[in-house]
Amino acid sequence: MQAVVILLLILAVLLVIFTLQNQMDITIHLFFWDIEKAPLVLVLLGCIFLGYILSAIYFYPRLWKLKKDYKKLIRFNDELKQLHELEHPQKPEDEVTDPEGIEFDDDDEEDDSFFKD
């Protein structure tokens, strides 16, 4: 949470610096309209915001479809796990074996081992 606040403060400072460095007025020609003395900063930030809105409108339907497909796959995976557990019951927990199938005995009573104190 604190990292997000620090990041937002850094971005705000950068925005203020950007605003102070680009205080010139420009004229915008859009089809039949002429907008005179528009601040360059507002034009640039407006274009960035408009680009974000357009990309969000374009990608959100795809994102919703992917989330829907992901949820279906999760449900299907859970069903497969249940079927697998029904067909192959697990061993009782007291019969846990080593992954390689070899038992290691730590109860050696010989004290001539190199690592024993």
Side-chain angles (χ1 to χ4, degrees), residues 57-109:
I57 290 170
Y58 180 73
F59 283 111
Y60 271 133
R62 292 182 183 193
L63 185 63
W64 289 333
K65 183 182 182 303
L66 287 174
K67 284 183 181 179
K68 182 179 174 184
D69 292 344
Y70 178 74
K71 287 180 182 178
K72 283 183 183 178
L73 287 174
I74 293 295
R75 275 189 246 120
F76 183 67
N77 190 21
D78 290 340
E79 291 174 6
L80 284 178
K81 283 181 182 178
Q82 290 175 355
L83 285 174
H84 181 73
E85 288 176 0
L86 288 174
E87 291 177 4
H88 305 286
Q90 295 180 353
K91 294 180 181 179
E93 292 183 17
D94 57 342
E95 292 184 25
V96 177
T97 59
D98 292 324
E100 292 85 16
I102 302 171
E103 287 188 29
F104 293 105
D105 292 332
D106 292 334
D107 297 334
D108 292 337
E109 297 190 20

